[in-house]
């Protein structure tokens, strides 16, 4: 049962997320990539569902998010929006669909909105992508920012370690957060940065921050669904809390099915016509 009892039936909008921050209500966000899971996550009372490009890792088995294409993101977002009634659905813009070319960024975001029914897009980066963010916003498309560890830049970072521990990087992150708010982003994801810095940025901004590996001082939290459900068992970072061990549940269930088929126990007399 969801513990979120405030306005539980009312559709979540970008405006409502701002209201939630203003009254101190934490924002819950999870990823989803398909209809069945999105439906369950929405029915549990989730505020925001992110069609993350982490689909590249947990759905497609890639080691980075870079191979994800615009068509693939639109496909996942189409599946998710069909299962969602209440949550705000945000779709990641994939690597190569917005960096360095704001006209292409606008065209990519319009395709996402038109073809998938998602309600907002998320882009990674700060000042480097300011022109793309502005152009997308000028078309009336809500933008969620993403700072700190930005997995599409893994080849530049060379590591998935905590970001902005050093003064210079922390300062740039603060400036980028202010810039994204000024440009008109409705929220910012802060990934894998020191908790103290995340709290400082959160207090500085009027728009909500959503943390992942960024401590408890942000306005909300996000996790990858497969990670928190224990389906993606190999991924065990410090920040991850597992809420279920579905990996074991699924392998046990599948093992029992195999056994029943092999022994002739399934189907029984009641399970046939
Ligand atoms: O792609 C994703 O799942 C994300 C979250 C980790 C924030 O960007």
């Amino acid at each position: 049962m969801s513990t979120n009892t405030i306005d539980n039936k009312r559709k979540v909008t970008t405006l409502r997320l701002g209201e939630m921050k203003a009254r101190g209500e934490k924002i819950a966000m999870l990823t989803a990539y398909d209809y069945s899971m999105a439906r369950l996550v929405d029915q549990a009372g989730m505020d925001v569902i992110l069609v993350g490009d982490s689909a590249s890792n947990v759905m497609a088995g890639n080691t980075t998010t870079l191979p994800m294409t615009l068509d693939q993101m639109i496909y996942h977002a189409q599946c998710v929006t069909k299962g969602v009634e209440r949550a705000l659905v945000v779709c990641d813009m994939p690597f190569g669909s917005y960096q360095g070319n704001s006209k292409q960024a606008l065209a990519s975001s319009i395709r996402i909105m038109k073809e998938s029914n998602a309600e907002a897009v998320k882009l990674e980066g700060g000042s480097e992508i300011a022109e793309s963010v502005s152009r997308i916003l000028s078309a009336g498309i809500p933008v969620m920012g993403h700072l700190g560890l930005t997995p599409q830049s893994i080849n530049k970072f060379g590591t998935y370690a905590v970001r902005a521990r050093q003064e210079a990087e922390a300062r740039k992150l603060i400036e980028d957060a202010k810039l994204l708010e000024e440009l008109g982003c409705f929220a910012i994801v802060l990934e894998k940065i020191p908790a103290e810095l995340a709290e400082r940025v959160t207090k500085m901004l009027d728009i909500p921050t959503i943390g992942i590996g960024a401590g408890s001082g942000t306005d909300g939290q996000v996790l990858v669904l497969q990670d928190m459900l224990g389906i993606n068992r190999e991924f065990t970072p410090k920040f991850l809390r597992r809420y279920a061990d579905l990996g074991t549940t699924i392998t046990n269930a599948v093992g029992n099915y195999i056994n029943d088929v092999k022994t002739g126990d399934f189907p029984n007399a009641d399970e046939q016509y």
Side-chain angles (χ1 to χ4, degrees):
M1 266 285 271
S2 166
T3 51
N4 176 10
T5 50
I6 303 171
D7 289 339
N8 211 17
K9 291 245 168 346
R10 218 173 114 207
K11 174 76 187 144
V12 181
T13 60
T14 56
L15 185 74
R16 270 193 74 196
L17 296 182
E19 291 169 0
M20 287 167 80
K21 171 163 181 151
R23 65 170 178 257
E25 182 188 344
K26 293 275 187 181
I27 298 164
M29 171 162 141
L30 270 181
T31 66
Y33 317 96
D34 68 278
Y35 167 79
S36 305
M37 288 299 228
R39 200 154 171 258
L40 292 172
V41 170
D42 187 51
Q43 286 170 355
M46 193 57 52
D47 297 314
V48 185
I49 295 181
L50 171 67
V51 185
D53 61 355
S54 50
S56 183
N57 308 98
V58 299
M59 301 301 286
N62 297 313
T63 53
T64 74
T65 57
L66 274 67
M68 218 58 194
T69 66
L70 187 58
D71 284 343
Q72 288 168 336
M73 288 308 302
I74 289 171
Y75 167 75
H76 283 294
Q78 282 169 343
C79 299
V80 166
T81 55
K82 283 186 191 130
V84 173
E85 285 178 14
R86 177 183 173 274
L88 178 80
V89 178
V90 181
C91 181
D92 259 341
M93 294 191 64
F95 177 65
S97 70
Y98 62 93
Q99 293 96 339
N101 182 339
S102 62
K103 280 193 183 157
Q104 185 198 10
L106 177 62
S108 305
S109 63
I110 287 176
R111 271 202 65 200
I112 290 174
M113 302 298 282
K114 259 189 189 299
E115 296 177 37
S116 78
N117 256 339
E119 294 152 316
V121 295
K122 176 164 80 62
L123 284 71
E124 296 182 5
S127 55
E128 317 77 19
I129 58 154
E131 203 180 305
S132 293
V133 170
S134 291
R135 209 180 261 263
I136 294 169
L137 284 164
S138 70
I141 298 172
V143 175
M144 176 180 270
H146 184 156
L147 298 172
L149 177 65
T150 47
Q152 291 177 11
S153 302
I154 184 58
N155 292 309
K156 183 172 107 186
F157 296 149
T159 167
Y160 284 104
V162 176
R163 303 304 314 177
R165 279 197 194 277
Q166 308 302 324
E167 183 60 27
E169 195 178 336
R171 233 180 298 121
K172 161 129 174 65
L173 189 142
I174 289 169
E175 289 312 310
D176 281 341
K178 280 190 207 155
L179 174 65
L180 291 176
E181 176 168 72
E182 277 163 24
L183 290 175
C185 289
F186 71 89
I188 302 177
V189 166
L190 297 175
E191 179 163 356
K192 234 176 163 184
I193 61 170
E196 217 180 285
L197 175 62
E199 188 169 351
R200 195 172 149 200
V201 171
T202 302
K203 285 187 174 150
M204 203 180 72
L205 300 179
D206 290 327
I207 58 170
T209 60
I210 315 280
I212 172 163
S216 60
T218 53
D219 298 306
Q221 297 292 328
V222 56
L223 287 174
V224 167
L225 186 65
Q226 276 72 0
D227 298 343
M228 59 88 77
L229 291 180
I231 294 172
N232 185 22
R233 287 182 283 192
E234 295 75 28
F235 188 63
T236 56
K238 182 179 173 184
F239 68 77
L240 177 63
R241 185 180 293 180
R242 285 210 197 293
Y243 286 85
D245 183 11
L246 290 197
T248 304
T249 304
I250 291 169
T251 39
N252 284 345
V254 172
N256 289 339
Y257 167 73
I258 294 169
N259 189 55
D260 289 353
V261 170
K262 301 274 184 198
T263 59
D265 183 67
F266 175 78
N268 64 26
D270 294 334
E271 292 165 331
Q272 53 193 305
Y273 301 100

